[in-house]
Amino acid sequence: MKIISVNRSLTQPVNPLAHISIIPDSAMIRDGKPFFIPGFSQKWEFQASIAFRVKRLGKKISSRFAHRYYDAIALAVNTIPIDVISDGQPISATYNAFDGAFIIGDWIELNQLNECHTLKINLDRKEIEIDMSHLAIDDTIASISQFITLKIGDIITPATIPIRNEIKINTIIEGSINNTPNIKLKFK
């Protein structure tokens, strides 16, 4: 299982040459477990995104068939060591691979969303609405699968959402999708 994170905002079109990060599953925190802030950075932020769970094996998938390859969504958060990255040091792939680099909420089956075209996201007392078409998951799967084989259980984050905030020790942040509790972030 791997996590494929696309560095794209909701307003940008899907680009097959976009920066893609492959995050190992060992970097993932789930089930409400806490994120212990590593000592290699003094300033941390989180960036939110919507994650999609892959349900089928596939390669070179057409965007018109891509909807057959995912079955659930969840809120996800990437933790970012701000001061290490902004010190002018070259950005290493290890900044996506440390324990806790990726935190994910509980999966919500797409059939539970009842053909919902808009997601209401609430995280860290910030609320936004996202049109599902702006996530462009079908086009993202078509683009990624030209180069990477998708396997059952893989996770894809097709775009970041505009919720980013500083991480502070001993805080708990909760998030929901369409008023259904989805993620609980504990920072220690």
Side-chain angles (χ1 to χ4, degrees), residues 34-61:
F35 171 64
F36 292 94
I37 299 174
F40 64 82
S41 179
Q42 300 305 308
K43 186 174 181 185
W44 289 85
E45 288 185 357
F46 68 81
Q47 174 70 55
S49 59
I50 301 293
F52 288 81
R53 181 177 64 194
V54 175
K55 70 174 185 175
R56 294 176 66 171
L57 179 70
K59 177 105 171 123
K60 297 189 179 188
I61 303 161

Side-chain angles (χ1 to χ4, degrees), residues 68-88:
R68 299 177 182 174
Y69 286 83
Y70 56 91
D71 64 349
I73 64 169
L75 272 173
V77 166
N78 288 83
T79 55
I80 306 163
I82 295 299
D83 56 344
V84 173
I85 292 172
S86 61
D87 279 348

Side-chain angles (χ1 to χ4, degrees), residues 128-140:
I128 62 168
E129 287 192 7
I130 298 172
D131 187 324
M132 286 285 280
S133 66
H134 291 163
L135 290 170
I137 184 61
D138 293 345
D139 292 338
T140 302

